[in-house]
Amino acid sequence: MALGYVGVLTIRVEMPWVASLKEKRALVRPVVERLKVRFPLTVARLDGLDAHDWEVIGVATLSNDYGWVEETLRMAADYIAKEGPYRVTSEEIEITPLGSGEDE
């Protein structure tokens, strides 16, 4: 039995109509900030920071309950998909068990 679970969600969002980094940040940053407030998550803009038309957002959480980790990441993915004026082109959830739960 695992001691806990670390869940990571990565989502790529694209907005081909955006012409500048400033415009992209104005679309993505508010969603990232609201996500941090709304859910018990760590959120970061991971990749595409120098590209004006796409970005990868990373989300992580930790719990002793696998189902809770999975549900929380799914809610975060749904929130990202519906809150921003962009297209979600890929998403991946990875949940990793921590430790064995037995005294060593």
Side-chain angles (χ1 to χ4, degrees):
M1 182 89 166
L3 285 174
Y5 302 90
V6 175
V8 177
L9 164 69
T10 53
I11 291 188
R12 180 182 169 114
V13 295
E14 294 183 0
M15 52 225 93
W17 60 91
V18 171
S20 72
L21 292 174
K22 185 176 180 180
E23 185 181 357
K24 179 187 77 169
R25 280 192 303 269
L27 297 175
V28 175
R29 183 178 275 156
V31 174
V32 167
E33 294 304 318
R34 286 192 307 264
L35 190 63
K36 290 177 186 178
V37 171
R38 187 173 195 118
F39 299 99
L41 301 165
T42 298
V43 184
R45 297 167 58 218
L46 298 177
D47 197 10
L49 301 179
D50 294 331
H52 66 82
D53 58 348
W54 67 275
E55 188 156 315
V56 175
I57 300 169
V59 178
T61 193
L62 171 73
S63 176
N64 66 341
D65 182 344
Y66 183 95
W68 183 89
V69 170
E70 186 175 43
E71 180 181 353
T72 302
L73 293 176
R74 174 60 34 219
M75 288 189 304
D78 292 345
Y79 184 82
I80 292 169
K82 76 174 185 169
E83 287 297 312
Y86 42 66
R87 280 191 327 252
V88 172
T89 58
S90 69
E91 78 178 54
E92 180 180 336
I93 292 177
E94 185 177 328
I95 301 174
T96 306
L98 297 173
S100 64
E102 299 175 14
D103 292 332
E104 295 186 26

